[in-house]
Amino acid sequence: MPVEQRRRLVTAVPGPRSIDLAARKAAAVADGVGTIVPAYVVEASGGIVVDADGNQLIDFGSGIAVTTVGNSAPAVVARVQQAVERFTHTCFMVTPYEGYVEVAERLAELTPGDHAKKTALFNSGAEAVENAIKIARVATGRSAVVCFDHAYHGRTNLTMALTAKDMPYKHGFGPFASEVYRTPMAYPYRWPGDPARVAEEAFEQFESQVHVQVGESQVAAVIIEPIQGEGGFIVPPDGFLPRLQRWCADHGAVLVADEIQTGFCRTGDWFACDHEGVVPDLITTAKGIAGGLPLAAVTGRAELMDAVHVGGLGGTYGGNPIACAAALGAIEEMETHDLTGRAREIEAIFRDRLGGIAARQPAIGDVRGRGAMMAIELVRPGSKDPDPVLTSAVARASHAQGLVVLTAGSFGNVLRFLPPLSISDELLHEGLDLIEQAFDKTAA
Ligand SMILES: *Cc1c(COP(=O)(O)O)cnc(C)c1O
């Protein structure tokens, strides 16, 4: 059902109904599962999330970059309704169905590169990443995996090892998987060397650390988010990713692009790798792929994907028929509404408005991102010392005014903006007004 595209507060956020539900949550749900904005949702579409008290919140989070096409997007709803009435599950490995194959065909067309590609479907991003590493290891006969500072690849054992941040993702959950090696990320704002040579210097460090500590011939895979998500929307300068691609080709390693957060129109291209024409050997996708239903994929060079023995890839639910129907609906929405173009328009609005706010707020040290994946990094004025306290204060003040906004970053000092691409310009501007007011209220 379409929701009126207007912010409206009828109680405090959270209101009394949400507070009751939060008490039930506290009694029944593990405390380890946190909630960022404890307003319990009853409905959502476009740029609006409606809570149990009737508040209408502006959505700058998309459920962490998932509802790129908007919540309950019409083509997703139509295809899911048709599919769910026919059958809910057979397990593709038992008795297969067309939707899975069609999603694989669409991924082969849409992902970077025009080589022969194949796909395997899974349930979550972490599961896709684990399987990409399994495939790379079998295909190369090697075991080492190289990842980067500030990386986020998931919460399962192998993906925790690949993820950089201790709190909250890894703390106390070790021991972690072995044969994982971490090298510096090309992080322009915090690069200690020559600001004009970040891509070159970061690559030189990668090359030398791998040579000295791992050995080129031991590397099965290099895995990178082409724009880091949880790490704080760190955009490597042009030239870094192509250098990694060349290095992998020269040394027989598999380049895995983790596009779970950046994929499916989010950055203004179908995939963030398209920006520089980088063609990864394997690409992992999830989040935006299926309009909110759980689905993930590994897509890549046919000869790598086919290196694994029959029965070596799969899972009970991977490529569930309803999730596949949702993915085909989400891709239809992206194509019919030119959502790559819409992401670029959203970037222009954010750049202009955030630039204006940053000019008046010395706590904003950096404005960055691409497409509808924009962020600001908050520091103590006159320095680059991270200010996570101000960051959470601005986020909380925004939540109280009815704006769903998320934080990120290794130092907890990044506000990130991930609106659904179906949001109106009016709601974008109103959300940015609320950010501006939150700074005025909280910054000293
Ligand atoms: C969210 C995310 C994951 C993990 O996906 P889940 O579906 O939460 O398992 C992996 N990599 C990146 C880049 C992500 O943003």
Side-chain angles (χ1 to χ4, degrees):
M1 201 176 44
V3 174
E4 191 194 359
Q5 294 297 299
R6 192 165 73 82
R7 180 177 70 110
R8 188 177 62 167
L9 294 185
V10 294
T11 69
V13 179
R17 291 216 166 110
S18 282
I19 289 170
D20 281 350
L21 285 160
R24 283 169 55 195
K25 183 233 175 221
V29 179
D31 288 350
V33 184
T35 55
I36 294 165
V37 186
Y40 280 71
V41 176
V42 294
E43 210 178 352
S45 92
I48 291 288
V49 172
V50 186
D51 77 11
D53 292 283
N55 296 304
Q56 304 207 158
L57 317 178
I58 298 175
D59 185 7
F60 274 11
S62 300
I64 320 188
V66 169
T67 51
T68 301
V69 296
N71 255 291
S72 302
V76 173
V77 171
R79 288 187 187 243
V80 164
Q81 281 176 344
Q82 277 177 16
V84 81
E85 284 171 9
R86 289 201 299 261
F87 62 99
T88 48
H89 172 85
T90 61
C91 185
F92 188 76
M93 301 182 304
V94 178
T95 45
Y97 38 86
E98 184 178 356
Y100 189 119
V101 177
E102 200 176 341
V103 170
E105 290 168 347
R106 295 314 319 271
L107 283 166
E109 290 162 23
L110 294 169
T111 55
D114 49 19
H115 51 281
K117 289 177 215 159
K118 291 205 175 179
T119 284
L121 298 179
F122 303 97
N123 302 295
S124 71
E127 209 188 338
V129 170
E130 291 244 357
N131 279 278
I133 303 302
K134 283 161 62 173
I135 293 162
R137 283 177 169 162
V138 169
T140 58
R142 305 172 180 180
S143 57
V145 182
V146 183
C147 59
F148 292 86
D149 284 340
H150 312 289
Y152 182 87
H153 297 292
R155 297 169 178 267
T156 56
N157 188 265
L158 174 57
T159 59
M160 274 193 294
L162 295 168
T163 291
K165 196 176 178 182
D166 172 51
M167 268 311 253
Y169 306 124
K170 303 170 76 168
H171 197 75
F173 297 142
F176 302 111
S178 61
E179 285 306 303
V180 170
Y181 301 90
R182 193 174 302 286
T183 65
M185 176 63 181
Y187 186 169
Y189 182 62
R190 294 193 177 275
W191 189 251
D194 179 352
R197 296 190 70 250
V198 179
E200 291 86 343
E201 291 182 3
F203 176 72
E204 285 159 17
Q205 291 195 17
F206 161 87
E207 201 173 25
S208 125
Q209 286 189 14
V210 173
H211 178 70
V212 172
Q213 300 176 20
V214 193
E216 292 84 351
S217 65
Q218 307 304 299
V219 178
V222 174
I223 181 165
I224 188 160
E225 301 156 81
I227 296 175
Q228 289 183 321
E230 307 303 301
F233 290 12
I234 299 165
V235 186
D238 284 359
F240 185 64
L241 298 173
R243 280 179 173 79
L244 292 179
Q245 184 186 337
R246 209 168 313 127
W247 186 94
C248 285
D250 288 347
H251 296 287
V254 174
L255 179 64
V256 182
D258 181 349
E259 293 242 20
I260 288 169
Q261 192 153 160
T262 49
F264 288 103
C265 306
R266 176 56 56 186
T267 63
D269 288 296
W270 273 92
F271 295 93
C273 282
D274 294 333
H275 175 72
E276 286 185 272
V278 167
V279 178
D281 301 303
L282 299 180
I283 176 168
T284 55
T285 52
K287 292 200 167 96
I289 190 174
L293 273 81
L295 187 71
V298 183
T299 301
R301 295 188 186 279
E303 68 276 16
L304 298 177
M305 297 296 295
D306 285 343
V308 178
H309 47 278
V310 173
L313 302 174
T316 306
Y317 292 113
N320 167 273
I322 313 305
C324 286
L328 296 171
I331 292 168
E332 181 187 330
E333 291 276 344
M334 291 174 200
E335 287 176 329
T336 30
H337 300 292
D338 180 25
L339 291 189
T340 53
R342 181 60 186 151
R344 288 169 192 241
E345 288 171 8
I346 290 173
E347 172 175 348
I349 292 173
F350 268 94
R351 277 205 186 282
D352 177 51
R353 291 290 312 272
L354 293 174
I357 299 170
R360 288 186 300 280
Q361 292 293 348
I364 300 178
D366 196 22
V367 177
R368 61 174 179 252
R370 196 185 301 145
M373 185 172 181
M374 298 295 296
I376 48 180
E377 178 159 352
L378 275 55
V379 292
R380 280 180 237 296
S383 78
K384 288 190 178 181
D385 298 343
D387 196 340
V389 175
L390 177 63
T391 308
S392 55
V394 172
R396 275 198 314 273
S398 304
H399 301 162
Q401 290 306 309
L403 176 68
V404 178
V405 64
L406 308 174
T407 61
S410 293
F411 316 109
N413 66 324
V414 174
L415 282 170
R416 57 169 157 171
F417 309 109
L418 289 163
L421 303 183
S422 56
I423 195 171
S424 67
D425 284 2
E426 290 69 27
L427 287 177
L428 284 176
H429 280 291
E430 191 176 356
L432 284 155
D433 291 342
L434 294 173
I435 294 285
E436 187 160 20
Q437 290 159 19
F439 269 102
D440 291 339
K441 263 183 253 167
T442 48

Short mmCIF file of all heavy atoms in Angstrom, two decimals, residues 277-304:
data_model
loop_
_atom_site.label_atom_id
_atom_site.label_comp_id
_atom_site.label_asym_id
_atom_site.label_seq_id
_atom_site.Cartn_x
_atom_site.Cartn_y
_atom_site.Cartn_z
N GLY A 277 36.08 0.76 -14.85
CA GLY A 277 36.19 -0.36 -15.78
C GLY A 277 36.96 -1.54 -15.22
O GLY A 277 37.53 -2.34 -15.96
N VAL A 278 36.98 -1.65 -13.88
CA VAL A 278 37.66 -2.79 -13.26
C VAL A 278 36.79 -4.04 -13.44
O VAL A 278 35.58 -3.98 -13.23
CB VAL A 278 37.92 -2.51 -11.76
CG1 VAL A 278 38.32 -3.78 -11.01
CG2 VAL A 278 38.98 -1.43 -11.62
N VAL A 279 37.41 -5.13 -13.83
CA VAL A 279 36.68 -6.40 -14.01
C VAL A 279 37.23 -7.41 -13.00
O VAL A 279 38.31 -7.97 -13.19
CB VAL A 279 36.84 -6.93 -15.45
CG1 VAL A 279 36.11 -8.27 -15.60
CG2 VAL A 279 36.29 -5.91 -16.45
N PRO A 280 36.48 -7.62 -11.90
CA PRO A 280 36.95 -8.60 -10.92
C PRO A 280 36.77 -10.02 -11.46
O PRO A 280 35.95 -10.25 -12.34
CB PRO A 280 36.05 -8.34 -9.71
CG PRO A 280 34.81 -7.71 -10.26
CD PRO A 280 35.21 -6.99 -11.52
N ASP A 281 37.51 -10.97 -10.89
CA ASP A 281 37.34 -12.37 -11.30
C ASP A 281 36.08 -12.95 -10.68
O ASP A 281 35.38 -13.74 -11.31
CB ASP A 281 38.57 -13.18 -10.86
CG ASP A 281 39.84 -12.62 -11.48
OD1 ASP A 281 39.89 -12.55 -12.73
OD2 ASP A 281 40.76 -12.23 -10.74
N LEU A 282 35.82 -12.57 -9.42
CA LEU A 282 34.59 -12.97 -8.74
C LEU A 282 33.98 -11.73 -8.13
O LEU A 282 34.69 -10.82 -7.69
CB LEU A 282 34.87 -13.98 -7.61
CG LEU A 282 35.51 -15.32 -7.96
CD1 LEU A 282 35.71 -16.15 -6.69
CD2 LEU A 282 34.65 -16.10 -8.97
N ILE A 283 32.65 -11.67 -8.07
CA ILE A 283 31.98 -10.54 -7.43
C ILE A 283 30.92 -11.12 -6.49
O ILE A 283 30.20 -12.05 -6.84
CB ILE A 283 31.39 -9.58 -8.49
CG1 ILE A 283 30.60 -8.45 -7.85
CG2 ILE A 283 30.53 -10.27 -9.51
CD1 ILE A 283 30.27 -7.33 -8.85
N THR A 284 30.91 -10.59 -5.27
CA THR A 284 29.87 -11.01 -4.32
C THR A 284 28.82 -9.92 -4.23
O THR A 284 29.15 -8.73 -4.16
CB THR A 284 30.46 -11.27 -2.91
OG1 THR A 284 31.16 -10.10 -2.47
CG2 THR A 284 31.40 -12.46 -2.92
N THR A 285 27.55 -10.34 -4.26
CA THR A 285 26.44 -9.39 -4.16
C THR A 285 25.43 -9.91 -3.14
O THR A 285 25.37 -11.11 -2.85
CB THR A 285 25.74 -9.20 -5.53
OG1 THR A 285 25.39 -10.48 -6.05
CG2 THR A 285 26.63 -8.49 -6.52
N ALA A 286 24.66 -8.99 -2.57
CA ALA A 286 23.59 -9.34 -1.62
C ALA A 286 22.78 -8.05 -1.44
O ALA A 286 22.48 -7.39 -2.43
CB ALA A 286 24.15 -9.87 -0.30
N LYS A 287 22.46 -7.68 -0.20
CA LYS A 287 21.78 -6.42 0.12
C LYS A 287 20.79 -5.95 -0.96
O LYS A 287 19.67 -6.42 -0.99
CB LYS A 287 22.82 -5.36 0.48
CG LYS A 287 23.53 -5.69 1.82
CD LYS A 287 24.19 -4.50 2.47
CE LYS A 287 24.58 -4.79 3.90
NZ LYS A 287 25.95 -5.21 4.12
N GLY A 288 21.20 -5.05 -1.85
CA GLY A 288 20.25 -4.46 -2.80
C GLY A 288 19.70 -5.40 -3.85
O GLY A 288 18.80 -5.05 -4.61
N ILE A 289 20.19 -6.63 -3.90
CA ILE A 289 19.89 -7.54 -5.00
C ILE A 289 18.41 -7.92 -5.09
O ILE A 289 17.91 -8.17 -6.18
CB ILE A 289 20.75 -8.83 -4.87
CG1 ILE A 289 20.67 -9.71 -6.12
CG2 ILE A 289 20.36 -9.64 -3.66
CD1 ILE A 289 21.62 -10.92 -6.10
N ALA A 290 17.69 -7.97 -3.97
CA ALA A 290 16.35 -8.57 -4.01
C ALA A 290 15.30 -7.74 -3.27
O ALA A 290 14.30 -8.28 -2.79
CB ALA A 290 16.39 -9.99 -3.47
N GLY A 291 15.51 -6.42 -3.21
CA GLY A 291 14.47 -5.52 -2.68
C GLY A 291 14.07 -5.82 -1.25
O GLY A 291 12.98 -5.43 -0.82
N GLY A 292 14.91 -6.50 -0.49
CA GLY A 292 14.62 -6.74 0.93
C GLY A 292 14.51 -8.21 1.29
O GLY A 292 14.52 -8.56 2.46
N LEU A 293 14.37 -9.09 0.29
CA LEU A 293 14.35 -10.51 0.63
C LEU A 293 15.79 -11.03 0.70
O LEU A 293 16.66 -10.52 0.03
CB LEU A 293 13.51 -11.30 -0.37
CG LEU A 293 12.03 -11.30 0.08
CD1 LEU A 293 11.36 -10.02 -0.31
CD2 LEU A 293 11.29 -12.49 -0.45
N PRO A 294 16.00 -12.06 1.54
CA PRO A 294 17.38 -12.53 1.71
C PRO A 294 17.87 -13.31 0.51
O PRO A 294 17.34 -14.38 0.19
CB PRO A 294 17.32 -13.41 2.97
CG PRO A 294 15.89 -13.73 3.16
CD PRO A 294 15.06 -12.72 2.44
N LEU A 295 18.87 -12.76 -0.17
CA LEU A 295 19.48 -13.43 -1.31
C LEU A 295 20.90 -12.89 -1.45
O LEU A 295 21.15 -11.71 -1.17
CB LEU A 295 18.70 -13.15 -2.60
CG LEU A 295 19.16 -13.94 -3.84
CD1 LEU A 295 18.79 -15.42 -3.69
CD2 LEU A 295 18.56 -13.39 -5.12
N ALA A 296 21.82 -13.73 -1.88
CA ALA A 296 23.21 -13.32 -2.12
C ALA A 296 23.74 -14.17 -3.26
O ALA A 296 23.19 -15.22 -3.58
CB ALA A 296 24.05 -13.53 -0.85
N ALA A 297 24.82 -13.69 -3.86
CA ALA A 297 25.36 -14.40 -5.02
C ALA A 297 26.87 -14.27 -5.10
O ALA A 297 27.44 -13.27 -4.66
CB ALA A 297 24.74 -13.84 -6.30
N VAL A 298 27.48 -15.29 -5.67
CA VAL A 298 28.86 -15.19 -6.17
C VAL A 298 28.75 -15.37 -7.68
O VAL A 298 28.18 -16.37 -8.14
CB VAL A 298 29.78 -16.28 -5.60
CG1 VAL A 298 31.21 -16.08 -6.12
CG2 VAL A 298 29.76 -16.28 -4.09
N THR A 299 29.27 -14.39 -8.42
CA THR A 299 29.25 -14.45 -9.88
C THR A 299 30.70 -14.30 -10.33
O THR A 299 31.43 -13.48 -9.77
CB THR A 299 28.40 -13.30 -10.45
OG1 THR A 299 27.07 -13.43 -9.93
CG2 THR A 299 28.35 -13.35 -11.98
N GLY A 300 31.10 -15.06 -11.33
CA GLY A 300 32.49 -14.91 -11.76
C GLY A 300 32.85 -15.72 -12.98
O GLY A 300 31.97 -16.35 -13.60
N ARG A 301 34.13 -15.66 -13.29
CA ARG A 301 34.64 -16.36 -14.48
C ARG A 301 34.22 -17.81 -14.44
O ARG A 301 34.43 -18.50 -13.44
CB ARG A 301 36.17 -16.27 -14.52
CG ARG A 301 36.66 -14.85 -14.69
CD ARG A 301 38.16 -14.77 -14.94
NE ARG A 301 38.54 -13.37 -14.95
CZ ARG A 301 38.38 -12.55 -16.01
NH1 ARG A 301 37.89 -13.03 -17.15
NH2 ARG A 301 38.70 -11.28 -15.93
N ALA A 302 33.64 -18.27 -15.55
CA ALA A 302 33.08 -19.62 -15.60
C ALA A 302 34.11 -20.67 -15.20
O ALA A 302 33.80 -21.61 -14.46
CB ALA A 302 32.54 -19.90 -17.00
N GLU A 303 35.37 -20.49 -15.62
CA GLU A 303 36.35 -21.54 -15.33
C GLU A 303 36.69 -21.59 -13.85
O GLU A 303 36.99 -22.65 -13.31
CB GLU A 303 37.61 -21.38 -16.21
CG GLU A 303 38.46 -20.16 -15.94
CD GLU A 303 37.99 -18.89 -16.66
OE1 GLU A 303 36.82 -18.84 -17.13
OE2 GLU A 303 38.79 -17.94 -16.72
N LEU A 304 36.61 -20.43 -13.15
CA LEU A 304 36.83 -20.44 -11.70
C LEU A 304 35.64 -21.07 -10.99
O LEU A 304 35.79 -21.93 -10.12
CB LEU A 304 37.04 -19.02 -11.17
CG LEU A 304 38.24 -18.23 -11.70
CD1 LEU A 304 38.23 -16.82 -11.12
CD2 LEU A 304 39.54 -18.94 -11.34
#
